[in-house]
């Protein structure tokens, strides 16, 4: 049974795709897990990081993207989820020099169009927009869950904003990591996505949920060595669960965005950002392990 990890924030540019790929590669290589990355963002950055621009164009030309999977299934074509995946993606090697067991369901510019089309189709069956939206979201959730069977970990790189695909990902996720950059609007953005994840109407209601019972945890990313950043992070951490790891603002992490042909070592790809990646993985791995065990126990009851 796969564990679903979403990386989400309604704000763009906070490092969702960067952190998603880092965690996917860390779990595949250091954790020896079978990992699948699902790219839910129509900007497709996770896909570009993992297979490069040409690889992504090839996937689109071959009709092997998340949009193609959705379209085919909704059209009643007996689509097999794995037919849309790219196996062994990324430009890093594991310790034996081989590509890790990391697969990708490539993103698509058309994902937003599909959600609109599904909405229109469902709207023929009900005139209540809320019911229609819930049904469409539910269908997307089912499609995402179909990918659970053959993986240990499914990472959902979410789009910014509140598309039905983003909502479906948040519903599907066993755990959500919310990266944020320490600035003055980040608190608001974190509050808003936390309310959504915990399904609470007010911050008071959210505040009543103990930190260790919340499905999400925050991750400060792009942190500079300044008192202002530290204060902002501490302030957000008073109200929200927060990883101890703080990802610094580093050129090496920014450069890891660029896909290169061939396989290189993690050290080569991440440079001095590798120690930060290791720290992040070391903190997140036991957290997911615990949550996965709880999920398994709940399923067996
Ligand atoms: N810790 C970091 N240090 C330096 N650059 C970063 C860091 N995290 C993200 N970036 C850069 O910030 C930009 C936005 O990151 P991205 O992962 O695409 O955010 P999102 O997915 O939330 O839109 C990218 O250019 C990325 O390389
Ligand atoms: Mg992104």
């Amino acid at each position: 049974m796969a564990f679903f990890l979403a990386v989400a924030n309604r704000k763009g540019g906070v490092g969702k795709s960067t952190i998603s790929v880092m965690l996917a590669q860390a779990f595949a290589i250091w954790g020896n897990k079978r990992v699948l990355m699902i790219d839910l963002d129509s900007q497709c950055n996770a896909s570009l990081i993992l297979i490069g621009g040409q690889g992504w164009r090839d996937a689109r030309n071959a009709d092997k993207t998340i949009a193609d999977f959705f379209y085919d299934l909704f059209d009643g074509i007996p689509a097999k989820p794995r037919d849309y995946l790219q196996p062994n993606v990324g430009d890093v090697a594991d310790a034996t020099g081989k590509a890790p067991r990391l697969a990708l369901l490539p993103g698509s510019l058309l994902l937003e169009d599909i959600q609109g089309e599904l909405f229109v189709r469902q709207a023929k069956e009900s005139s209540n927009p809320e019911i229609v939206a819930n049904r469409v979201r539910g269908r997307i959730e089912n499609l995402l869950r179909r990918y659970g069977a053959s993986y240990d970990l499914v990472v959902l790189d979410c789009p910014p904003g509140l598309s039905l695909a983003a909502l479906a990902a948040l519903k599907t996720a066993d755990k959500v990591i919310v990266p944020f950059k320490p600035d003055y609007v980040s608190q608001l953005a974190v509050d808003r996505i936390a309310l959504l994840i915990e399904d609470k109407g007010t911050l008071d209601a959210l505040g009543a949920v103990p930190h260790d019972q919340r499905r999400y945890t925050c991750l400060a990313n792009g942190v500079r060595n300044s008192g202002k950043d530290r204060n902002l992070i501490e302030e957000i951490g008073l109200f929200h669960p927060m990883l101890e790891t703080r990802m610094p603002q580093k050129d090496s992490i920014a450069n890891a965005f660029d896909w290169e042909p061939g396989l290189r070592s993690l050290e080569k790809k991440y440079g001095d950002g590798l120690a930060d990646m290791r720290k992040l993985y070391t903190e997140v791995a036991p957290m997911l392990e615990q949550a996965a065990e709880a999920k398994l126990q709940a399923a067996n009851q």
Side-chain angles (χ1 to χ4, degrees):
M1 185 167 56
F3 190 85
F4 285 84
L5 173 72
V7 181
N9 187 323
R10 286 170 65 171
K11 220 167 155 306
V14 295
K16 292 182 293 296
S17 301
T18 302
I19 299 295
S20 295
V21 170
M22 241 186 211
L23 285 171
Q25 291 182 323
F27 275 94
I29 293 179
W30 293 329
N32 197 24
K33 302 274 190 249
R34 296 165 304 164
V35 183
L36 170 65
M37 165 78 78
I38 299 186
D39 186 353
L40 287 158
D41 189 359
S42 50
Q43 290 184 29
C44 303
N45 282 329
S47 304
L48 294 172
I49 301 173
L50 286 172
I51 56 178
Q54 188 58 48
W56 181 59
R57 275 190 292 279
D58 290 346
R60 276 161 49 207
N61 290 336
D63 299 330
K64 303 278 184 227
T65 68
I66 187 166
D68 299 298
F69 174 56
F70 283 11
Y71 270 126
D72 288 352
L73 277 179
F74 288 122
D75 286 342
I77 294 172
K80 284 204 201 81
R82 68 164 181 276
D83 289 347
Y84 298 81
L85 300 182
Q86 310 273 324
N88 307 109
V89 295
D91 53 0
V92 286
D94 64 16
T96 67
K98 288 202 301 268
R101 291 185 298 175
L102 168 56
L104 168 73
L105 177 58
S108 167
L109 299 164
L110 299 176
L111 191 57
E112 280 160 24
D113 303 11
I114 288 193
Q115 295 171 61
E117 280 175 38
L118 283 178
F119 196 92
V120 171
R121 273 200 223 174
Q122 282 288 344
K124 291 186 185 127
E125 287 165 36
S126 168
S127 57
N128 180 335
E130 203 171 320
I131 292 177
V132 174
N134 278 341
R135 284 203 187 134
V136 173
R137 198 203 63 217
R139 279 200 83 173
I140 299 177
E141 261 178 73
N142 287 340
L143 296 186
L144 295 178
R145 284 188 207 283
R146 286 184 67 171
Y147 277 106
S150 320
Y151 294 90
D152 302 311
L153 175 68
V154 179
V155 180
L156 305 166
D157 181 25
C158 292
L162 274 191
S163 62
L164 291 170
L167 293 175
L170 291 181
K171 279 269 177 208
T172 306
D174 298 297
K175 200 96 199 158
V176 184
I177 289 184
V178 179
F180 68 95
K181 287 200 170 166
D183 56 38
Y184 287 107
V185 287
S186 55
Q187 168 111 45
L188 202 66
V190 171
D191 287 350
R192 281 167 25 149
I193 193 140
L195 288 171
L196 204 67
I197 294 166
E198 298 297 329
D199 204 11
K200 298 290 178 207
T202 64
L203 289 174
D204 279 347
L206 176 65
V209 183
H211 280 197
D212 62 359
Q213 283 175 27
R214 295 194 206 171
R215 206 152 48 92
Y216 70 98
T217 183
C218 303
L219 169 65
N221 179 41
V223 179
R224 293 148 306 176
N225 191 12
S226 78
K228 195 176 119 234
D229 276 15
R230 278 192 293 277
N231 289 344
L232 271 165
I233 295 165
E234 272 169 30
E235 213 167 291
I236 293 177
L238 290 177
F239 195 76
H240 297 284
M242 175 82 63
L243 291 173
E244 263 175 45
T245 306
R246 296 172 178 186
M247 299 301 285
Q249 177 73 25
K250 279 189 179 172
D251 287 347
S252 53
I253 296 178
N255 294 338
F257 214 81
D258 298 324
W259 179 87
E260 283 182 14
L263 296 180
R264 37 186 178 151
S265 65
L266 275 174
E267 287 78 7
K268 264 239 160 73
K269 182 172 179 70
Y270 286 99
D272 71 349
L274 189 64
D276 305 295
M277 176 174 168
R278 173 70 83 172
K279 211 168 151 201
L280 176 66
Y281 170 73
T282 306
E283 189 177 2
V284 171
M287 208 175 80
L288 294 201
E289 207 71 57
Q290 228 175 34
E293 209 151 286
K295 182 183 180 183
L296 203 63
Q297 268 175 14
N300 287 337
Q301 264 169 14

